[in-house]
Amino acid sequence: MAGIKALAKETAVYGLSSIVGRFLNWCLVPLYVYMFPTEEYGIVSYLYSFTAVALVVLNYGMETGFFRFANKDGDPERVYTTSLISVGSTSLLFMILLTALLHPVADAMLLPRHSSYVWMLGMTVALDAFANLPFAYLRFRKKALRFAGIKLLNVALNIGLNLLFLLACPALMKSAPALVAWFYEPFGGEAFGIGWIFFANVISSLVVLCCLVPELTGRRYAFSGALLRRMLAYSWPLLVLGVAGILSQNMGQMIIPYLFRGQEEAARSMVGIYGANIKIAIVMVMFTQAFRYAYEPFIFAQAKGDGETKKQAYCDAMKFFVIFGLFIFLGVMYFLPVLKHFVAPAYWAGLRVVPVMMAAELCFGVFFNLSLWYKLTDRTQWGMYLSLICFALMLVFNIWFVSAIGIPDGYLGSAWAALAGYFAVMVISYFVGRHYYPLPYQTGRLALYTLLAALLYGAGICTELYFPAWLMYSTRVLLLAVYIGVISSFEHIPLLSRRR
């Protein structure tokens, strides 16, 4: 029991630092979209999607491989230093190749005039990929607070530098130019624009690496080729799974410019509108991520219990995930007229993607929830298969839907492709899981709750058409209360405690 409590505590620390960090970075989006036009923010969203993929490739599953072999090999220090040397070498090689081939790479990414942006994000990726191993070492040594502190420092520094470069420096150049001109003007000053965003990333990553120096020094470095080959053999399926998963998540931003060659500005504008509006759906993403941090310790702890008891616990987890997910969906959609001010009016044409992406993220959460069957039966190859299926479906759907819709609304096709892809693998995982590890999910009741949420969503939309604002929001609050009341009645959850 003590071990489970310690695991839960560490999970909370890691989860909180990740979710808070993601939320704070999310708060930068309004700054970007109110300062820059859609086509410029489109470059930011487009490049960050490539960054996410490159980070997975440069880690090539070594973080998980380190955990596996540090506990198995008997010499965790040798595993750690072997991993560090391997990832450090590949990250350095990546930067050398990117620097040597910068202009061809920028051309291939359809950004021939923005090669400096590509280089700065490449440097950030290389630094972050290398830093992931010291962060993994902190987790291995159960130094959760140091881990969380450095992660949050990175976020705070990045936000501070963005505010400095994008807001403070332009103001200081008018009132006290001597304070900032020495570093601000050589880069082009205010004209450097979104380049300051990427420059802030580089500085933040360098500072983080400096903070991790104690995890990099004061040890004897030993490299084992045989150990590395075993680690790579273990990690390569995780690389495939990770790349397929991250490509699926970023497919829309990455593929749109390639589908409209010769119309780069319009394509980047679509990417900017799409990338900004899907950030509104991050409430569902954060809920799913928080659930993921707690869920894996939960299922493996429950696996030690009695058969029927643990199966009921798994089914209850699924049920309440869907219940809370639907509540979040309704809450965000009911108050979207307020939340839309998160992005500038120039981006409001893309608000149509928000309900679609919220539904897509809910399907992804259910898909993750279903993953317990292949984790508990040691059929983890199914995780790779399902990720590859999801990637293939999203690629086909994006090419089909986005091209069919065309400019200027093609990004809607990416949202529908995400929903179709996640829904498909959710259904596939459910039916395959019934064969290998059948669970008595209350599918009928979950379908009923989903139908209830859909009807309430439709009713809420009608209020926008016919009611004044004050009556619309009042009615929507009542509709949320109806949802809570119906769920509470079916689940026998007391809404008010009675004092006796």
Side-chain angles (χ1 to χ4, degrees), residues 383-425:
M384 181 177 68
Y385 300 154
L386 291 168
S387 293
L388 288 172
I389 291 170
C390 186
F391 165 72
L393 288 173
M394 282 202 187
L395 179 61
V396 171
F397 288 147
N398 266 279
I399 294 173
W400 181 12
F401 297 164
V402 174
S403 300
I405 296 172
I407 294 173
D409 299 323
Y411 55 84
L412 291 171
S414 290
W416 283 106
L419 177 56
Y422 286 143
F423 179 80
V425 293

Side-chain angles (χ1 to χ4, degrees), residues 472-490:
M472 176 188 74
Y473 288 119
S474 299
T475 305
R476 289 181 173 184
V477 170
L478 288 175
L479 291 173
L480 277 175
V482 169
Y483 176 80
I484 295 171
V486 171
I487 297 298
S488 300
S489 177
F490 272 81

Side-chain angles (χ1 to χ4, degrees), residues 8-60:
K9 180 181 176 181
E10 290 170 17
T11 300
V13 173
Y14 296 136
L16 183 63
S17 65
S18 176
I19 292 167
V20 169
R22 191 163 188 167
F23 173 76
L24 291 174
N25 273 324
W26 177 66
C27 293
L28 285 173
V29 175
L31 173 66
Y32 298 156
V33 298
Y34 277 93
M35 286 195 65
F36 303 113
T38 56
E39 59 271 17
E40 285 196 53
Y41 181 68
I43 296 174
V44 177
S45 186
Y46 175 67
L47 280 174
Y48 275 152
S49 64
F50 277 94
T51 300
V53 176
L55 186 58
V56 173
V57 172
L58 285 179
N59 272 308
Y60 47 92

Side-chain angles (χ1 to χ4, degrees), residues 160-492:
L161 289 172
N162 270 271
L163 295 176
L164 171 66
F165 296 146
L166 298 179
L167 296 180
C169 284
L172 288 171
M173 284 297 293
K174 296 175 183 177
S175 60
L179 291 176
V180 296
W182 59 276
F183 73 86
Y184 193 61
E185 287 188 335
F187 283 92
E190 198 169 351
F192 195 44
I194 59 173
W196 290 112
I197 299 172
F198 308 130
F199 188 57
N201 286 156
V202 174
I203 296 176
S204 300
S205 295
L206 282 169
V207 171
V208 165
L209 197 60
C210 291
C211 291
L212 292 169
V213 165
E215 281 67 48
L216 298 171
T217 57
R219 65 188 72 252
R220 184 177 62 85
Y221 275 76
F223 178 80
S224 170
L227 173 62
L228 179 61
R229 286 191 291 273
R230 288 163 51 212
M231 294 179 70
L232 292 175
Y234 172 82
S235 298
W236 78 263
L238 302 175
L239 170 62
V240 175
L241 188 155
V243 171
I246 204 71
L247 280 173
S248 298
Q249 292 175 24
N250 294 276
M251 183 74 69
Q253 294 101 305
M254 295 178 71
I255 202 169
I256 288 174
Y258 289 95
L259 296 176
F260 299 100
R261 300 290 293 270
Q263 299 171 289
E264 282 81 6
E265 187 171 326
R268 286 199 292 266
S269 180
M270 286 197 293
V271 172
I273 292 171
Y274 178 64
N277 280 281
I278 62 176
K279 294 295 191 297
I280 297 175
I282 203 168
V283 179
M284 187 71 79
V285 176
M286 288 191 292
F287 167 62
T288 303
Q289 184 170 355
F291 178 82
R292 290 176 68 179
Y293 274 107
Y295 190 57
E296 283 193 339
F298 168 79
I299 64 171
F300 288 114
Q302 291 294 325
K304 301 174 183 178
D306 295 332
E308 293 307 315
T309 302
K310 68 183 180 185
K311 287 188 176 183
Q312 187 58 49
Y314 298 149
C315 294
D316 287 344
M318 170 69 84
K319 179 174 63 178
F320 285 105
F321 175 84
V322 173
I323 287 172
F324 282 110
L326 291 172
F327 176 79
I328 291 170
F329 175 85
L330 289 174
V332 170
M333 297 316 304
Y334 282 171
F335 293 95
L336 189 59
V338 175
L339 294 174
K340 72 179 183 180
H341 295 284
F342 175 77
V343 298
Y347 294 76
W348 286 355
L351 289 170
R352 292 169 290 174
V353 306
V354 177
V356 183
M357 288 305 299
M358 291 282 288
E361 290 296 339
L362 182 59
C363 288
F364 177 76
V366 174
F367 167 57
F368 176 80
N369 206 313
L370 291 167
S371 69
L372 67 88
W373 69 261
Y374 61 74
K375 292 174 180 175
L376 293 178
T377 59
D378 292 330
R379 291 183 171 88
T380 50
Q381 71 272 18
W382 272 100
M384 181 177 68
Y385 300 154
L386 291 168
S387 293
L388 288 172
I389 291 170
C390 186
F391 165 72
L393 288 173
M394 282 202 187
L395 179 61
V396 171
F397 288 147
N398 266 279
I399 294 173
W400 181 12
F401 297 164
V402 174
S403 300
I405 296 172
I407 294 173
D409 299 323
Y411 55 84
L412 291 171
S414 290
W416 283 106
L419 177 56
Y422 286 143
F423 179 80
V425 293
M426 177 186 73
V427 172
I428 293 170
S429 182
Y430 171 73
F431 283 105
V432 177
R434 285 183 63 183
H435 174 70
Y436 287 111
Y437 195 82
L439 290 172
Y441 290 120
Q442 296 175 290
T443 51
R445 182 168 292 196
L446 294 180
L448 179 65
Y449 293 160
T450 304
L451 177 61
L452 171 65
L455 292 173
L456 293 175
Y457 170 59
I461 294 299
C462 291
T463 63
E464 191 170 5
L465 299 175
Y466 302 109
F467 293 176
W470 69 270
L471 185 55
M472 176 188 74
Y473 288 119
S474 299
T475 305
R476 289 181 173 184
V477 170
L478 288 175
L479 291 173
L480 277 175
V482 169
Y483 176 80
I484 295 171
V486 171
I487 297 298
S488 300
S489 177
F490 272 81
E491 298 299 328
H492 306 291

